[in-house]
Amino acid sequence: MIYLSLVTVRLTTSCLSMQPFPNMSQLSAALGGLSGVPELEVEALRPVNLLQERNLLPHRPLDAPEPNLNADLKKANCSPDTFRCTLTNIPQTQALLNKARLPLGLLLHPFRDLAQLPVITSSTIVRCRSCRTYINPFVSFLDQRRWKCSLCYRVNDVPDEFMYNPVTRSYGEPHKRPEVQNSTVEFIASSDYMLRPPQPAVYLFVLDVSHNAVDAGYLDVFCQTLLENLDKMPGDTRTRVGFISFNSTIHFYNLHESLSQPQMLVVSDIDDIFIPTHDSLLVNLKESRALVRVLLTSLPGMFSQTRETHSALGPALQAAYKLMSSTGGRVSVFQTQLPTLGAGLLQSREDPNQRSSTKGVQHLGPATDFYKKLALDCSGQQIGVDLFLLSSQYSDLASLACVSKYSAGSIFYYPSLHHVHNPAQLDKFQKDLERYLTRKIGFEAVMRIRCTKGLSIHTFHGNFFVRSTDLLSLANVNPDSGFAVQMSIEESMADTSLACFQAALLYTSSKGKRRIRVHTLCLPVVSQLSDVYAGADVQAITCLLANMAIDRSISSSLSDARDALVNAVVDSLSAYKNTVSNLQQSGLIAPAALCLFPLYVLALLKQKALRTGTSTKLDERVFAMCEFKSQPLQQIMRTVHPDLYRLDTISDQGALHLNDCIVPQPHLLHLTAEKLTREGAFLMDCGSVFYLWIGKFCNEMFIRDVGALTFIRHNTQIPELETPLSERLRALLAWLQDSRTFSSTLHIVKDDASAKTSFFQHLVEDRSESAFSYYEFLLHIQQQMSK
């Protein structure tokens, strides 16, 4: 296959000189009219003048680019929702990668919920004897008895058992086994993959019961939600639960099945924390369910009159570690303020006057290593710590987050939760908690990422502890967490046409089974710079750069991180311009594959995590950083560049027909106030939040037909009116919601001042007091490129 190269461009420039931007047929001619070049790659290389072409958004949310592979390999390849590379054409050498000035890395969503998952129960798990890669669709069979590894190329023997295909119940067709037909599979592991017998599901809840916590009202919602979901938590007959509460002292709860009532045991010596009894604080849920229910029913009332204002979070976590260290499991911590007593106590470090600073932002890193050290101890004992921070005051999340970051935990943040003043946040907390309690979980997990010989992994992003160069320790793994890795090319891959990547996640299921989930991705290797650009995945590049920018803002400074993002655009577009300079001299030119790159980077610069000049609370900034480092790609992109739709003009044109339901597919709109009208109604999908903006003069027929008057006045769900428009609008919202695993809160912009501010801050193409408009940003990029 022959691709566009510098030579072919120079030979054909004269025929294109009359028309600065060639159409598809002309560009095909520039490629020598070669039928072997895929049309999609030709389109991906089409030069776009960003200053002239303003309507660059596709009508529908952007799909991942399809790798240039033959039909069989495409069919077998891993879903981009699970495994995605920043470049779908892998450069042969590091020198070629350097020329492109694009980052090489992977984005992974390894434990996501799957509708279908082939489970392999064979007693023989076939792996390469040299590099330990699991057999996969991209290995080659030399004959029925030998296969060649797709990563290190070693030739291996096919075991006798592998000759039998359990699906077809036939012999002699190893290439038709499910492991070789599916790029995502799960093996039931043997005892060889166990250091100890698989642990049971163990859940410990650590609850702030200070005056601040009681006043916020979270405890009632927590207890009620857990009561409703006790039987839905993942586990089996061995599942164990326990509870610790804390203020200035630590409270344990004896839930032994022989008791008639739960027994509270108070430890007031927080400087030398100890476990008052070891055999009845973590109890079998099945045997002690009645006592657990009594405790959850009575817990909110037990502290309703408290005047305790202190928080001994550190000692409570030390107690949790001591209680869980023999089994491992999940610790869920609920905290509403700055820790003020005992180990890990913190002082306020935020200067409110610096929230709008255009200079540096201080205190993005932890104030103490206490929480990181505790997390590493927890990780070593297979304990994951999840943090729910429910606080309207500064709580130093930069320090507290370490307890989850390094133990493979999750972080949730509700900055203004209050049962009276902010019921919407309380509702979001309740929905998030329900998902959290019932979602799938894996215990005592490790994940290893392998790649084709010549490639190497050098940096990981996410919540984990790096045990060795390519092994991540994940005390807990959940279906909502994402990971990213950066890669380099250490040796030339000129001898191969394909590169493979494999992620293997070994974990214990909530039912006590040891399992290995394996994902394998295959991509072509290319030798031409133009091919590297043609295969650029702009969303994956944006997400990887976001992770790198967060690291840089902590290790160096926020201004350095912001400069690096701008330079990433300048460098890649400059490199592209220099390689096709004879095609077009003036304007700001990008290949079509990267035409949204400047827009996405500008959107990144306007995020809470990275923005300057806009008032941003320190905890909110740090939480936004944590989200970037631990979310899967789809959620990051909806946060960075939300989807905006006009609703009052929706039609059935292009609609999806799902389960006897018509789901409208309105076109995406650019994120600018220019696209809003006072006569319209608009929906913005930010991932975890929907905003409904209804113009002052919106069509009364539309408002009546969707029942939006009730909806607007009471901020409730759209009433189920039997009008076609109302049904279609509900179908659209349900379809958008079904595309994610978490609940999304719906805000009405019309009469909610805070929602209005957030809504307009998401219009990233518009100018703000402290940030460029999109057009100004393009001019800035052009200016930087001309230096």
Side-chain angles (χ1 to χ4, degrees):
M1 187 174 289
I2 303 172
Y3 293 87
L4 175 64
S5 67
L6 292 176
V7 176
T8 55
V9 169
R10 290 185 183 120
L11 288 173
T12 56
T13 302
S14 58
C15 72
L16 302 175
S17 58
M18 297 298 290
Q19 193 172 336
F21 295 98
N23 58 32
M24 286 296 291
S25 60
Q26 287 173 313
L27 197 55
S28 186
L31 289 157
L34 297 165
S35 59
V37 180
E39 189 174 311
L40 283 175
E41 293 221 349
V42 179
E43 168 57 25
L45 283 170
R46 179 177 63 83
V48 177
N49 188 332
L50 299 176
L51 291 168
Q52 289 181 0
E53 297 192 38
R54 301 301 302 277
N55 295 314
L56 294 172
L57 275 187
H59 289 330
R60 303 277 181 266
L62 204 61
D63 288 326
E66 203 170 68
N68 178 24
L69 298 167
N70 68 43
D72 289 340
L73 291 180
K74 274 184 188 175
K75 185 180 177 183
N77 219 357
C78 196
S79 164
D81 292 336
T82 299
F83 216 155
R84 214 152 146 179
C85 186
T86 56
L87 303 174
T88 57
N89 290 330
I90 303 297
Q92 265 187 7
T93 64
Q94 183 66 37
L96 184 59
L97 177 61
N98 292 343
K99 279 185 186 176
R101 305 304 294 267
L102 292 170
L104 179 59
L106 301 168
L107 285 105
L108 218 63
H109 192 178
F111 201 58
R112 74 184 184 95
D113 291 322
L114 296 170
Q116 287 185 311
L117 177 64
V119 178
I120 315 294
T121 56
S122 169
S123 60
T124 302
I125 297 176
V126 180
R127 301 176 67 179
C128 174
R129 291 179 62 193
S130 178
C131 70
R132 307 301 292 154
T133 293
Y134 294 82
I135 199 165
N136 60 77
F138 312 109
V139 306
S140 52
F141 284 90
L142 306 182
D143 51 47
Q144 283 195 342
R145 288 292 179 180
R146 294 179 304 155
W147 62 277
K148 183 189 279 189
C149 177
S150 53
L151 269 68
C152 75
Y153 315 122
R154 177 186 172 123
V155 176
N156 296 272
D157 294 330
V158 176
D160 288 338
E161 186 187 345
F162 204 75
M163 296 297 287
Y164 176 70
N165 186 343
V167 178
T168 61
R169 297 185 180 180
S170 59
Y171 285 90
E173 295 180 324
H175 60 286
K176 291 185 178 179
R177 291 263 308 194
E179 301 97 312
V180 189
Q181 293 290 312
N182 298 280
S183 58
T184 290
V185 295
E186 188 152 282
F187 297 97
I188 305 295
S190 65
S191 57
D192 297 342
Y193 292 86
M194 304 175 195
L195 293 175
R196 62 177 186 175
Q199 69 166 74
V202 182
Y203 304 114
L204 178 64
F205 299 95
V206 180
L207 307 166
D208 180 352
V209 291
S210 64
H211 174 72
N212 201 52
V214 173
D215 182 59
Y218 94 87
L219 204 54
D220 294 89
V221 175
F222 165 78
C223 291
Q224 186 59 39
T225 306
L226 183 53
L227 272 170
E228 292 169 1
N229 292 281
L230 263 182
D231 297 330
K232 299 176 188 174
M233 289 198 303
D236 56 14
T237 55
R238 301 185 305 154
T239 300
R240 297 166 71 183
V241 295
F243 299 86
I244 292 175
S245 60
F246 66 96
N247 38 44
S248 62
T249 56
I250 312 300
H251 324 124
F252 299 87
Y253 296 89
N254 184 341
L255 297 167
H256 195 275
E257 58 182 308
S258 62
L259 296 173
S260 58
Q261 289 287 326
Q263 184 181 64
M264 185 166 79
L265 308 170
V266 180
V267 174
S268 54
D269 186 359
I270 59 172
D271 294 323
D272 185 19
I273 202 72
F274 65 94
I275 305 301
T277 175
H278 279 276
D279 58 353
S280 54
L281 302 180
L282 278 175
V283 293
N284 183 287
L285 177 58
K286 185 179 179 183
E287 295 169 358
S288 296
R289 178 178 270 99
L291 282 178
V292 169
R293 298 186 77 87
V294 170
L295 176 64
L296 290 172
T297 304
S298 58
L299 201 57
M302 290 165 62
F303 298 96
S304 61
Q305 303 302 314
T306 186
R307 289 289 173 261
E308 282 279 8
T309 57
H310 283 295
S311 167
L313 174 65
L317 288 170
Q318 289 175 326
Y321 169 72
K322 290 186 176 184
L323 192 55
M324 296 278 278
S325 58
S326 62
T327 59
R330 184 180 75 190
V331 176
S332 309
V333 183
F334 297 79
Q335 172 74 2
T336 68
Q337 62 179 345
L338 201 67
T340 56
L341 287 179
L345 71 86
L346 298 166
Q347 307 290 331
S348 178
R349 298 188 289 161
E350 183 181 37
D351 180 356
N353 296 321
Q354 295 298 309
R355 287 176 184 169
S356 300
S357 172
T358 56
K359 299 175 184 177
V361 175
Q362 303 297 312
H363 309 307
L364 294 173
T368 170
D369 63 359
F370 170 81
Y371 294 97
K372 179 178 179 179
K373 283 183 174 178
L374 184 65
L376 296 179
D377 288 342
C378 286
S379 179
Q381 299 301 317
Q382 306 297 344
I383 303 165
V385 183
D386 296 330
L387 174 65
F388 288 77
L389 183 60
L390 317 105
S391 174
S392 57
Q393 303 298 317
Y394 173 72
S395 301
D396 197 355
L397 185 57
S399 297
L400 299 183
C402 292
V403 78
S404 298
K405 280 183 186 177
Y406 297 100
S407 67
S410 302
I411 301 164
F412 301 84
Y413 180 44
Y414 307 89
S416 54
L417 183 141
H418 195 276
H419 68 109
V420 174
H421 306 309
N422 197 336
Q425 276 258 295
L426 203 66
D427 184 55
K428 176 168 172 49
F429 168 61
Q430 187 272 326
K431 288 177 178 174
D432 288 350
L433 183 60
E434 185 172 4
R435 161 70 184 169
Y436 171 79
L437 292 171
T438 58
R439 71 186 181 185
K440 191 172 179 177
I441 185 171
F443 297 100
E444 47 189 353
V446 290
M447 183 167 70
R448 179 169 265 129
I449 301 172
R450 298 178 173 89
C451 45
T452 289
K453 185 180 177 184
L455 293 167
S456 72
I457 293 166
H458 60 81
T459 307
F460 294 93
H461 301 277
N463 291 353
F464 49 74
F465 170 61
V466 183
R467 193 177 290 180
S468 64
T469 53
D470 63 347
L471 187 70
L472 304 183
S473 176
L474 307 169
N476 295 170
V477 62
N478 72 75
D480 300 334
S481 290
F483 303 87
V485 299
Q486 291 168 241
M487 293 189 298
S488 58
I489 304 167
E490 291 196 334
E491 300 173 24
S492 170
M493 293 189 290
D495 294 337
T496 183
S497 61
L498 297 173
C500 285
F501 310 88
Q502 189 175 84
L505 177 69
L506 173 64
Y507 71 98
T508 298
S509 76
S510 57
K511 306 285 188 191
K513 302 291 185 187
R514 204 74 174 130
R515 291 178 168 236
I516 312 161
R517 188 171 296 189
V518 179
H519 308 286
T520 312
L521 174 69
C522 178
L523 297 172
V525 174
V526 298
S527 59
Q528 299 290 344
L529 190 57
S530 51
D531 301 337
V532 179
Y533 288 120
D537 183 338
V538 67
Q539 292 191 331
I541 289 169
T542 302
C543 291
L544 184 63
L545 286 174
N547 276 279
M548 293 162 67
I550 299 307
D551 281 359
R552 187 148 182 178
S553 62
I554 296 169
S555 64
S556 180
S557 69
L558 188 61
S559 59
D560 272 4
R562 289 171 57 84
D563 289 345
L565 285 172
V566 174
N567 289 338
V569 179
V570 171
D571 291 346
S572 59
L573 296 192
S574 295
Y576 173 75
K577 181 182 178 183
N578 292 336
T579 63
V580 292
S581 57
N582 288 335
L583 195 65
Q584 173 64 26
Q585 294 289 346
S586 61
L588 183 59
I589 315 302
L594 289 175
C595 68
L596 294 175
F597 191 26
L599 177 59
Y600 286 161
V601 167
L602 175 65
L604 264 182
L605 294 170
K606 293 186 176 185
Q607 297 301 304
K608 282 183 181 178
L610 295 163
R611 71 190 184 189
T612 57
T614 302
S615 183
T616 309
K617 291 182 178 179
L618 189 53
D619 279 347
E620 291 190 22
R621 184 185 296 277
V622 169
F623 177 65
M625 290 179 161
C626 294
E627 292 272 89
F628 276 129
K629 293 281 287 182
S630 61
Q631 295 272 14
L633 179 143
Q634 288 86 352
Q635 175 60 11
I636 292 175
M637 285 311 304
R638 280 200 193 98
T639 302
V640 172
H641 191 274
D643 295 333
L644 180 65
Y645 306 96
R646 183 164 183 173
L647 297 184
D648 60 301
T649 57
I650 57 174
S651 69
D652 291 350
Q653 186 176 354
L656 298 176
H657 294 262
L658 302 172
N659 302 323
D660 299 325
C661 210
I662 298 173
V663 182
Q665 297 291 290
H667 288 183
L668 287 177
L669 301 176
H670 280 265
L671 294 172
T672 170
E674 288 178 12
K675 298 296 181 183
L676 305 177
T677 70
R678 293 197 294 175
E679 295 77 32
F682 300 84
L683 181 74
M684 183 184 283
D685 178 5
C686 302
S688 60
V689 178
F690 288 120
Y691 292 102
L692 181 62
W693 189 88
I694 297 180
K696 189 174 183 180
F697 303 117
C698 183
N699 186 303
E700 289 184 13
M701 188 81 75
F702 169 81
I703 293 177
R704 189 198 68 199
D705 278 359
V706 300
L709 283 174
T710 309
F711 183 44
I712 292 165
R713 286 197 193 108
H714 303 294
N715 205 359
T716 59
Q717 293 301 309
I718 292 176
E720 297 201 10
L721 300 183
E722 294 303 320
T723 66
L725 190 58
S726 181
E727 288 175 3
R728 280 160 176 61
L729 190 52
R730 286 201 313 276
L732 174 62
L733 282 167
W735 179 73
L736 292 171
Q737 179 65 65
D738 286 347
S739 67
R740 65 211 70 185
T741 54
F742 47 85
S743 63
S744 297
T745 308
L746 188 57
H747 289 291
I748 312 304
V749 177
K750 189 165 184 173
D751 51 9
D752 183 337
S754 63
K756 185 178 287 188
T757 301
S758 297
F759 178 83
F760 281 101
Q761 283 179 347
H762 284 300
L763 298 177
V764 295
E765 293 193 31
D766 293 338
R767 195 177 196 282
S768 67
E769 289 180 17
S770 57
F772 288 129
S773 70
Y774 174 54
Y775 190 75
E776 289 169 335
F777 185 64
L778 292 178
L779 293 175
H780 176 66
I781 295 294
Q782 187 179 39
Q783 183 184 27
Q784 294 297 307
M785 287 172 63
S786 63
K787 283 185 177 178

